[in-house]
C-alpha cells in the first residue's frame, strides 16, 4: 500500500472517530473501564502470587532425629534429605542449639531455664526449606523425608500449604474468567461503534463502490478506526491504572493496621511491570479493536 493511500485511510479513521464522537467517546470510556478492570485483575494475580511466594519462603519442614545416632549417621541423613527433589536448603540444628533457641523465647515462661545437656528433652533435627510448598508437593516431599532411616517424626505446614494452593487456584481462575469476559465485552462495544459508523456512511460507501474502490480499501478505514479506539483506550487505561495503583499503595503504607503493613512489603511496584503492562494494553487494545471491526464489519458492511 502506498504512503498516500495509508495516509488517507489513517485520516479517514480519525475522521470517523470525530464524526461519531459521542459514540466513540462512550466506547472509549467503557473500554477504559474494561481495560482497567483487566489490568487490576492482572496486578491482583501478580501480587497474590508474590505474597504466596514469600509465604512459601517463610514456611519450613522440621524433622526430628532418633536418639543415639552417631555424627556420621546424622550427616548421612542430611545428605539423603538434600538429594531429594523439591529441596532448596537443609540446616542441621543440634539438641543443644535447639535448647538455647527455645530458652530465649518467652512462651515457655522460664520452664527451660537451667536445664543442662543431660536434662535436655529436645532432639536433634533438620530444618528443611522446600522449593515448592503447594499441598501436593509438600505432602510428597514430607512423606519421602519421613521414610529415611533415622528420622523419628516431623512437622510440616500442611494447613498453610492447603490455603496457599486454594488462594493461587482461586485467583488464577477468577482472573482468567474476568479477563475473557471483559475482552469479549470490549470487542462487542467496538463492533457496535463501527456498525453505527457504517450506517452513517452508507451513501458514501455505495459511491466508492461505483467508482471502483475495492472491498479491502473500503473496509480498512473502519478497521483503523477500531484499532485507534483500542489504542486510545489502552493508553488512557494504563495512565489511570498507574495513578490508581500508586494511590492504593500509598494508602496501604499510611494505614496503621499491622497486617496491611506486612502485605505492603510484598506488593509489586508498578514500575517493575509498567513496560509489560503498557505493551500488553497496547497490543490488547489494538487487537480487540481489529477483531471488533474486522470480524463484525463483514456482517454489517454490505459491499
Amino acid at each position: 500500500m502506498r504512503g498516500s493511500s495509508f495516509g488517507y485511510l489513517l485520516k479517514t479513521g480519525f475522521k470517523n472517530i470525530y464524526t461519531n464522537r459521542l459514540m466513540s467517546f462512550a466506547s472509549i470510556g467503557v473500554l477504559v473501564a474494561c481495560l482497567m478492570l483487566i489490568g487490576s485483575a492482572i496486578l491482583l494475580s501478580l501480587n497474590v502470587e508474590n505474597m504466596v511466594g514469600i509465604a512459601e519462603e517463610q514456611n519450613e519442614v522440621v524433622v526430628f532425629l532418633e536418639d543415639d545416632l552417631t555424627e556420621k549417621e546424622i550427616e548421612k541423613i542430611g545428605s539423603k534429605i538434600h538429594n531429594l527433589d523439591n529441596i532448596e536448603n537443609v540446616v542441621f540444628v543440634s539438641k543443644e542449639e535447639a535448647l538455647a533457641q527455645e530458652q530465649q523465647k518467652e512462651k515457655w515462661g522460664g520452664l527451660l531455664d537451667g536445664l543442662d545437656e543431660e536434662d535436655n528433652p529436645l532432639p536433634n533435627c533438620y530444618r528443611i526449606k522446600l522449593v515448592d510448598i503447594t499441598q501436593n508437593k509438600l505432602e510428597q516431599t514430607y512423606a519421602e523425608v519421613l521414610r529415611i532411616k533415622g528420622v523419628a517424626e516431623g512437622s510440616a505446614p500442611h494447613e498453610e500449604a492447603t490455603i496457599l494452593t486454594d488462594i493461587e487456584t482461586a485467583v488464577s481462575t477468577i482472573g482468567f474468567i474476568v479477563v475473557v469476559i471483559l475482552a469479549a465485552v470490549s470487542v462487542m462495544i467496538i463492533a457496535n461503534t463501527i456498525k453505527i459508523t457504517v450506517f452513517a456512511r452508507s451513501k458514501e460507501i455505495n459511491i466508492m463502490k461505483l467508482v471502483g474502490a475495492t472491498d479491502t480499501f473500503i473496509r480498512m478505514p473502519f478497521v483503523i478506526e477500531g484499532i485507534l479506539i483500542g489504542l486510545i483506550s489502552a493508553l488512557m487505561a494504563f495512565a489511570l491504572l498507574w495513578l490508581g495503583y500508586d494511590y492504593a499503595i500509598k494508602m496501604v503504607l499510611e494505614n496503621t493496621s499491622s497486617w496491611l503493613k506486612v502485605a505492603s512489603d510484598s506488593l509489586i511496584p508498578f514500575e517493575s511491570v509498567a513496560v509489560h503492562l503498557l505493551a500488553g494494553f497496547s497490543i490488547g487494545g489494538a487487537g480487540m479493536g481489529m477483531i471488533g471491526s474486522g470480524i463484525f464489519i463483514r456482517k454489517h458492511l454490505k459491499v
Side-chain angles (χ1 to χ4, degrees):
M1 183 180 293
R2 293 179 299 176
S4 58
S5 298
F6 179 76
Y8 165 77
L9 295 174
L10 189 62
K11 181 180 177 181
T12 305
F14 276 110
K15 182 181 177 182
N16 289 345
I17 293 176
Y18 180 76
T19 302
N20 301 286
R21 51 188 176 277
L22 185 60
M23 186 62 187
S24 297
F25 291 159
S27 298
I28 290 172
V30 176
L31 282 176
V32 167
C34 289
L35 287 171
M36 286 185 66
L37 288 172
I38 291 174
S40 299
I42 293 172
L43 287 172
L44 175 62
S45 179
L46 291 174
N47 278 300
V48 169
E49 287 181 6
N50 193 52
M51 291 178 186
V52 168
I54 292 174
E56 288 178 353
E57 292 176 1
Q58 296 174 347
N59 284 293
E60 61 182 8
V61 173
V62 179
V63 291
F64 304 104
L65 307 182
E66 296 176 352
D67 294 331
D68 302 326
L69 293 175
T70 65
E71 289 186 9
K72 194 172 283 188
E73 290 173 328
I74 292 175
E75 290 178 2
K76 188 176 180 181
I77 292 172
S79 298
K80 288 182 178 180
I81 295 173
H82 195 274
N83 290 332
L84 294 174
D85 293 334
N86 197 35
I87 301 295
E88 180 179 337
N89 189 32
V90 180
V91 176
F92 174 70
V93 180
S94 67
K95 58 194 307 182
E96 293 77 21
E97 291 173 330
L99 178 61
Q101 292 173 5
E102 293 299 324
Q103 285 175 339
Q104 294 176 0
K105 299 178 181 179
E106 298 180 357
K107 67 177 183 178
W108 297 109
L111 293 176
L112 299 179
D113 294 345
L115 292 178
D116 54 24
E117 294 183 8
E118 294 182 358
D119 299 326
N120 185 0
L122 303 177
N124 295 318
C125 68
Y126 276 107
R127 295 185 178 275
I128 308 166
K129 185 175 288 187
L130 306 183
V131 175
D132 185 352
I133 201 173
T134 52
Q135 186 176 7
N136 292 336
K137 293 294 292 184
L138 170 65
E139 292 179 354
Q140 178 183 345
T141 306
Y142 184 58
E144 291 175 351
V145 172
L146 291 181
R147 284 196 292 267
I148 296 175
K149 185 177 179 181
V151 174
E153 57 182 346
S155 173
H158 295 288
E159 184 176 347
E160 290 86 346
T162 302
I163 293 172
L164 293 176
T165 301
D166 291 343
I167 290 174
E168 278 190 305
T169 302
V171 171
S172 299
T173 303
I174 294 173
F176 177 76
I177 293 172
V178 168
V179 169
V180 170
I181 292 175
L182 292 177
V185 170
S186 301
V187 169
M188 292 300 298
I189 291 169
I190 293 175
N192 286 325
T193 303
I194 300 301
K195 178 181 178 181
I196 292 173
T197 305
V198 169
F199 288 155
R201 297 185 60 206
S202 58
K203 291 183 178 179
E204 182 182 344
I205 291 170
N206 290 330
I207 294 173
M208 291 175 69
K209 283 294 291 180
L210 291 174
V211 298
T214 63
D215 289 355
T216 301
F217 187 81
I218 296 174
R219 289 189 178 101
M220 281 306 296
F222 300 104
V223 175
I224 292 175
E225 180 185 354
I227 293 174
L228 289 173
I229 289 175
L231 283 175
I232 293 171
S233 302
L235 294 176
M236 291 178 64
F238 175 78
L240 291 172
L241 185 64
W242 193 334
L243 291 173
Y245 187 79
D246 283 349
Y247 178 77
I249 289 183
K250 182 181 178 181
M251 293 297 292
V252 169
L253 293 175
E254 292 177 352
N255 196 292
T256 57
S257 179
S258 59
W259 71 270
L260 281 177
K261 287 184 177 180
V262 172
S264 66
D265 294 335
S266 57
L267 291 176
I268 299 174
F270 194 90
E271 292 80 0
S272 64
V273 295
V275 175
H276 295 91
L277 273 179
L278 179 58
F281 270 34
S282 299
I283 295 172
M288 287 187 293
M290 183 180 296
I291 293 171
S293 57
I295 292 180
F296 292 92
I297 198 174
R298 189 178 296 274
K299 177 181 179 182
H300 299 298
L301 181 57
K302 305 299 182 182
V303 295

